[in-house]
Amino acid sequence: MNIVVCIKQVPDAKDVRLDPETNTLARDGVESIMNPYDRHALEEAVCLREQHGGTVTVLSMGPPQAEAMLREAIACGADEAILVSDRAFAGADTWATSYTLTKAIETIGDVDLTLCGKQAIDGDTAQVGPGIACRLKIPFVTCVQKTRESSDEAIIVERMMDDGFDVIKVPLPALLTVVKDINEPRVASLKGKMKAKKATVKVLSAADIGAEADQIGLAGSPTQVVKVFSPEPRGDRRIFTGTVEEQVTQLVESIKGYL
Ligand SMILES: Cc1cc2nc3c(=O)[nH]c(=O)nc-3n(C[C@H](O)[C@H](O)[C@H](O)COP(=O)(O)OP(=O)(O)OC[C@H]3O[C@@H](n4cnc5c(N)ncnc54)[C@H](O)[C@@H]3O)c2cc1C
């Protein structure tokens, strides 16, 4: 089974700040990590390869520094790594991002399964996975919490729902987006780290994947971020401390003040 895992480098959530001048994410001095959901997608791909054979290719669209994250993915079990990187991709919204990743997946060719995280922890739209599937004209299932059985023809998965889960059989090729409950990602082995050090991360440009200039980056992005801001805290806030009983007593006393 040939699997592509889309992984995105994101700012570490504990460091996310907004630049008050530009209303954009302040990325300077902020540590970058592999999007946590994508780590679970990678683990699932490696487990499926261990069962069925084939290859796991990790794919990212991003700046040159995303290479470090792709090497980390190799250390955790991926076979190949591809970075789609070109100044022409700058300013891409989810529409242009899914177009670019689709062109890269078509360039890789012969892909049975594409895995994505449910969402990226910075953009948070959860649009890119379904966007790729629509462009590839393949079926997709979002919020997958378990892969049950798989063969060369189909995969049976559980889709997380508010009140339980759906069991869905989907023919291959297909795309899945995964939630964190799906598995416990492995820690990179020493052998994996050695392999990652020596591995070649293939870098593909817009021309390499045959991307149309008017479909990528800012030119190919129909949406624009007009403003990004931290919401103002609403009203008076109090934080109660102590045991649960003490906090309940404090809460009751506080409510009495409003009666
Ligand atoms: C007008 C506009 C301009 C923007 N300009 C920039 C900019 O200059 N720089 C910038 O960094 N962001 C920019 N963004 C944000 C960018 O559009 C999103 O980060 C990107 O499209 C992915 O969307 P998301 O983060 O919501 O991902 P989601 O849809 O939430 O991600 C779901 C999954 O898709 C996959 N995925 C998503 N993105 C990638 C990727 N790049 N590579 C591989 N897999 C991926 C992962 O598996 C991820 O778990 C801009 C957005 C807009 C609207």
Side-chain angles (χ1 to χ4, degrees), residues 56-173:
V56 173
T57 304
V58 280
L59 169 66
S60 190
M61 181 191 92
Q65 53 266 38
E67 188 185 318
M69 173 197 66
L70 289 163
R71 284 191 190 280
E72 188 190 343
I74 290 178
C76 292
D79 301 294
E80 310 275 342
I82 297 179
L83 175 61
V84 187
S85 194
D86 197 310
R87 294 188 79 85
F89 297 139
D93 68 0
T94 58
W95 183 265
T97 301
S98 53
Y99 169 82
T100 305
L101 292 172
T102 300
K103 294 300 280 184
I105 292 166
E106 286 172 343
T107 304
I108 295 165
D110 194 23
V111 177
D112 302 302
L113 187 64
T114 302
L115 294 181
C116 291
K118 180 183 79 137
Q119 66 198 77
I121 61 164
D122 56 350
D124 240 1
T125 67
Q127 291 173 357
V128 170
I132 295 170
C134 291
R135 289 180 183 279
L136 288 171
K137 297 188 173 57
I138 57 171
F140 67 94
V141 183
T142 56
C143 298
V144 170
Q145 64 174 23
K146 188 171 181 175
T147 57
R148 283 191 170 188
E149 285 171 46
S150 47
S151 66
D152 289 345
E153 283 80 40
I155 186 161
I156 300 174
V157 300
E158 292 179 9
R159 174 171 60 191
M160 182 183 272
M161 303 297 286
D162 283 343
D163 51 357
F165 59 84
D166 296 332
V167 178
I168 301 172
K169 183 175 181 180
V170 59
L172 299 178

Side-chain angles (χ1 to χ4, degrees), residues 174-191:
L175 181 143
L176 310 175
T177 79
V178 310
V179 294
K180 291 181 181 176
D181 304 52
I182 193 164
N183 55 39
E184 194 58 50
R186 70 192 68 189
V187 178
S189 63
L190 186 61
K191 197 172 152 210

Side-chain angles (χ1 to χ4, degrees), residues 250-259:
Q250 291 168 45
L251 177 63
V252 171
E253 288 305 315
S254 165
I255 291 171
K256 276 185 191 165
Y258 293 96
L259 298 176

